[in-house]
Amino acid sequence: LVDKRLAAGIAAAGVLLTLLIWPGSQVVSDKDEVVRLAVLPFINRGLNTENQFLTDGLRESLVDGLSKLSHMEVLSPSRDLADDEEGRRAERAADRGRDLNADHVLHGSVQTAEGRMRVTVQLTRASDGVHQYSEQFDLPIEDLFGLQDQIVNSVVSALSVHLDESEREQMLDWGTTNAIAYERFLRGEFYYNQFSPDDFQRAIDYYMSALEADPGFVNAYHGAATAANNMAVYSGSERIQDLSELISSIHREVARIAPDSEALHSINEIKLRMSGTSQVQQEA
């Protein structure tokens, strides 16, 4: 597990570098294959024509962000599908992708209600219409630009995994099918491997954020428990108590969802160390 986590930390460094530089520069890789992705106009649900800029702006930002992924050719076709019903549009997405000679099609919808924005994003494989990825975002619209950046970052991170077979295999190997959870987990691994108090806290935050996206992600629970255990070395008694409670709650949750997991035994040992008890003492 140590070697695996170190490798994940190295991979996470690459992910972080990609996300940090994508707004301003092209990300380069040694992959030869070019992926053609068509980003269709999003459906404007419940928005009046004056607020169409919200829908258009999100699409433009997605096109810009995705264009900076390595070996990604992004197509931005006209608005001929924007007014279709969602079901009909989903059926036509693959056809439209084939017409554009695209490998994949990104499409979705935007609506607002009671001060919140709901954005649905779907990725469809053009060759056979298989849905490869979908995500729904429900966020307050107080900060439209911040909201837009958050959605774009999440979608770019997810698609960078879903459109790369080796990355997707690694994601599944770590125990999640949620690319956003995986990206947050990798960030946690990166900061965990920096071995400093501030970075341990950042790691815990990212692991817990990964669990928000995928509550069944056992390795994220294990990462949070391990980072909390290391954080305790640098903490006072009150903070140690908080970390101990966090580890106990993690232990209970993993025992509930994965009672046969090897990670549960490791988390239990961490829990016992935090309480001053050893595994041998417990067994006795």
Side-chain angles (χ1 to χ4, degrees), residues 123-268:
L123 180 71
T124 300
R125 190 163 58 204
S127 61
D128 53 15
V130 170
H131 287 273
Q132 299 171 286
Y133 163 77
S134 63
E135 191 68 43
Q136 181 172 291
F137 303 88
D138 289 290
L139 301 165
I141 58 175
E142 299 169 355
D143 179 9
L144 290 177
F145 291 109
L147 179 150
Q148 185 169 287
D149 289 344
Q150 181 178 345
I151 293 172
V152 171
N153 270 298
S154 295
V155 173
V156 170
S157 301
L159 294 191
S160 67
V161 172
H162 276 276
L163 299 179
D164 185 313
E165 184 175 350
S166 63
E167 283 287 340
R168 191 164 60 249
E169 289 177 354
Q170 289 181 44
M171 176 182 71
L172 296 175
D173 187 46
W174 275 108
T176 183
T177 59
N178 187 308
I180 294 176
Y182 177 63
E183 183 266 323
R184 293 172 183 173
F185 171 79
L186 286 182
R187 286 174 179 255
E189 292 288 281
F190 172 81
Y191 285 113
Y192 174 85
N193 283 287
Q194 305 311 300
F195 270 81
S196 75
D198 290 342
D199 288 320
F200 283 137
Q201 183 58 58
R202 291 189 186 96
I204 293 171
D205 293 341
Y206 276 117
Y207 289 132
M208 300 308 293
S209 181
L211 290 168
E212 291 177 6
D214 181 1
F217 194 174
V218 172
N219 274 314
Y221 284 110
H222 185 268
T226 305
N229 178 64
N230 291 346
M231 182 73 183
V233 175
Y234 303 92
S235 303
S237 58
E238 185 174 341
R239 178 58 174 152
I240 290 175
Q241 180 61 34
D242 292 339
L243 293 169
S244 180
E245 291 175 2
L246 172 64
I247 293 170
S248 294
S249 67
I250 287 173
H251 180 267
R252 287 193 298 271
E253 189 61 20
V254 175
R256 182 184 69 83
I257 64 175
D260 298 325
S261 169
E262 293 182 4
L264 181 61
H265 178 74
S266 177
I267 293 170
N268 187 55

Side-chain angles (χ1 to χ4, degrees), residues 1-78:
L1 182 60
V2 173
D3 291 340
K4 187 176 180 183
R5 295 191 68 173
L6 180 59
I10 295 171
V15 170
L16 280 178
L17 181 60
T18 297
L19 293 176
L20 288 172
I21 68 177
W22 75 258
S25 62
Q26 179 71 34
V27 182
V28 179
S29 85
D30 57 2
K31 291 182 174 59
D32 295 326
E33 184 179 357
V34 175
V35 176
R36 290 172 58 87
L37 174 68
V39 182
L40 302 184
F42 278 38
I43 294 176
N44 179 349
R45 293 189 176 278
L47 297 176
N48 59 42
T49 54
E50 295 178 356
N51 290 329
Q52 181 65 39
F53 75 92
L54 291 175
T55 306
D56 293 340
L58 177 61
R59 184 201 184 200
E60 290 172 5
S61 295
L62 282 169
V63 169
D64 182 61
L66 291 165
S67 296
K68 293 178 174 64
L69 288 178
S70 61
H71 287 66
M72 176 78 73
E73 183 179 348
V74 180
L75 310 172
S76 181
S78 60

